[in-house]
Amino acid sequence: MGLMILAEAEQSVVLLVLLVATLGLTFWEARSRGLDWQRTAWWMLLVLLTHVIGYLALLGWGAYRKSRNLD
């Protein structure tokens, strides 16, 4: 939502639908990785503020942890 406000696109229905879809994917990804509610909420807020960039950060972080066997 933060980037949508900066881009003055908060009235765009398409971007709003994409934001909701991205938030759903973030929730699903965080819970499937076994993150607790606090970390899940943190990722949800990050994605809410940064939109797709935050979701890509979550995927990158997950791939890094998987490659380092930190899970």
Side-chain angles (χ1 to χ4, degrees), residues 2-68:
L3 290 180
M4 288 174 61
I5 292 171
L6 285 176
E8 297 178 0
E10 63 269 5
Q11 299 299 322
S12 174
V13 175
V14 174
L15 288 178
L16 190 60
V17 168
L18 287 174
L19 177 60
V20 170
T22 307
L23 285 170
L25 287 171
T26 301
F27 180 80
W28 181 40
E29 183 75 25
R31 298 309 293 163
S32 70
R33 293 198 178 275
L35 298 180
D36 59 359
W37 285 104
Q38 186 176 10
R39 287 188 181 178
T40 300
W42 187 89
W43 279 109
M44 295 284 289
L45 288 172
L46 180 72
V47 170
L48 182 65
L49 291 174
T50 62
H51 211 264
V52 174
I53 296 167
Y55 181 66
L56 293 175
L58 171 64
L59 292 179
W61 176 77
Y64 171 77
R65 288 186 54 89
K66 188 175 182 180
S67 71
R68 299 289 182 186

